[in-house]
Amino acid sequence: MSRRLAQRAGGRDAEIAGVAAGVLADARPQGRVLVASDHVGTVERAVWDGGAEVVAWHRFAYDGGPAKPWPDDGTFDAAVLRLPRSWPAFAMKLHAVAARLPAGAPLWIYGGNDEGITSASKRLEGLVDDVETVAIKRRARVLRAVRSRAAARGNLDDWRESVPLEMPDGTAFDLVSYPGLFAHGRLDAGTACLLQVLPEVPAGGAVLDFGCGAGVIARVVQGRVPDAKLTLLDVDSVALHAARLNVAGAACVLSDGWAALDPRARFDLVLSNPPLHRGKEEDFGALDALVRGAKERLKRKGALVAVAQRTAGVGPLFQKAFGTADLLLETPQFQVWRGRVA
């Protein structure tokens, strides 16, 4: 069992997990229990302390922890599911978990009231029966249900979608995507801003797409410079799985920020539309880490180009990290900044 406590987990996450842990400590599920997305660690610990074998599944590699896009194969005796940040992501994760439970097995689902847990019982798609609320505390709820006999879409490929995207320069391509990915099925406005001022990439240049999502930025670079040496980095294992399919031949790194990237790697260009939220909470940690750590990852005359909302205060971050910074594009909502190594 993973006993890792996520250092970046906000107080609200810990509070919600604590409510669920109290319920699981009393319920004491036995056998093999699948615990999905407990990035705080207290739910895993409560189930473990109750005598069960805990199998943890994390989609996001927060704080360097293990993550993968789909849970282990096999049958579990019970499962616990943390409500994810979007309903499409919830549907996919619910099916993944339900496919590994026999009929009659218990499933607990927990989350905050402001995250939508109060309406989760309406989105269970017939996969469970006998849904009841077993705890309401600290603006959080825990639901308990039992697995029904309804069939579940239990493979990641069952959720794969191909969506057409048109780029600012008029080019278009089909992108592999999955429910819950950032800007699923559309071109994000911030990414579009960055692509409008995408710098020239030297032939054979080394390019890092930091926080790549499904790989839209890297895909555009590959279309312009087919021999570019592309590296894709993201904390979301599902996003990285999609990016690997979208950008053939690229190196893929599952990492929370720079941590898992080879420290010897150097790039001509780092491109990023970094995430500014963790779940529903605003979190500028990834943006700050990106800018502070970029300079030492760049080759001589290399550059970092990133887009962020105007309210993020990117300019001062770039100026502090690089000495000077160039504002490449500004809209009422976004700014694109460039920092260069002399």
Side-chain angles (χ1 to χ4, degrees):
M1 183 201 75
S2 169
R3 289 177 177 266
R4 177 180 53 87
L5 296 179
Q7 295 176 353
R8 284 177 51 199
R12 183 63 182 140
D13 276 346
E15 192 173 52
I16 293 170
V19 174
V23 170
L24 272 299
D26 291 338
R28 298 177 67 89
Q30 298 298 299
R32 295 183 75 226
V33 180
L34 178 62
V35 180
S37 303
D38 173 27
H39 292 293
V40 178
T42 53
V43 173
E44 292 178 24
R45 179 178 294 128
V47 176
W48 177 273
D49 289 345
E53 175 191 351
V54 173
V55 178
W57 171 38
H58 298 286
R59 170 175 165 173
F60 296 89
Y62 290 136
D63 304 299
K68 53 189 174 182
W70 216 242
D72 291 342
D73 290 334
T75 301
F76 295 85
D77 299 292
V80 187
L81 172 59
R82 171 71 163 92
L83 190 73
R85 62 188 178 186
S86 72
W87 291 122
F90 174 66
M92 187 170 71
K93 187 165 288 187
L94 175 66
H95 277 258
V97 170
R100 282 145 183 81
L101 294 176
L107 168 65
W108 289 266
I109 303 170
Y110 68 98
N113 293 344
D114 58 342
E115 299 171 336
I117 190 64
T118 55
S119 58
S121 60
K122 302 175 183 177
R123 297 175 179 268
L124 298 175
E125 304 191 8
L127 295 172
V128 294
D129 296 321
D130 302 329
V131 183
E132 60 176 328
T133 300
V134 292
I136 303 175
K137 191 176 181 181
R138 298 173 186 165
R139 296 175 290 124
R141 294 186 182 216
V142 182
L143 309 180
R144 185 190 184 280
V146 295
R147 178 71 169 99
S148 71
R149 297 186 179 277
R153 296 164 64 188
N155 297 301
L156 184 57
D157 284 345
D158 294 338
W159 298 86
R160 177 175 170 173
E161 299 179 32
S162 181
V163 295
L165 291 184
E166 183 173 344
M167 299 298 106
D169 63 0
T171 60
F173 52 79
D174 289 338
L175 191 82
V176 172
S177 188
Y178 292 88
L181 291 192
F182 174 70
H184 174 61
R186 62 183 176 83
L187 178 62
D188 169 69
T191 298
C193 288
L194 189 153
L195 293 175
Q196 288 179 45
V197 292
L198 186 66
E200 182 177 346
V201 178
V207 180
L208 171 65
D209 187 348
F210 184 103
C212 63
V216 173
I217 295 172
R219 176 69 175 268
V220 171
V221 172
Q222 188 176 64
R224 295 183 184 182
V225 187
D227 66 346
K229 298 173 183 175
L230 297 168
T231 300
L232 313 178
L233 181 152
D234 206 283
V235 71
D236 181 355
S237 62
V238 175
L240 200 64
H241 177 79
R244 183 178 288 109
L245 298 174
N246 289 318
V247 190
C252 295
V253 180
L254 180 65
S255 182
D256 190 357
W258 297 103
L261 187 68
D262 185 344
R264 299 167 296 178
R266 296 295 181 270
F267 302 93
D268 297 289
L269 190 61
V270 175
L271 304 170
S272 186
N273 181 359
L276 298 183
H277 290 82
R278 179 178 175 181
K280 290 186 175 294
E281 295 184 4
E282 193 172 67
D283 183 355
F284 290 162
L287 170 63
D288 185 60
L290 164 67
V291 178
R292 285 190 294 103
K295 189 173 182 179
E296 65 183 73
R297 304 287 185 154
L298 291 168
K299 297 179 180 179
R300 185 172 176 271
K301 297 185 178 180
L304 165 66
V305 178
V307 61
Q309 294 179 2
R310 292 180 61 182
T311 55
V314 175
L317 284 176
F318 269 71
Q319 290 164 0
K320 183 176 180 180
F322 291 93
T324 61
D326 304 312
L327 179 60
L328 301 182
L329 180 69
E330 184 171 25
T331 72
Q333 188 176 2
F334 295 101
Q335 293 178 332
V336 182
W337 286 89
R338 177 177 60 192
R340 291 186 286 190
V341 176

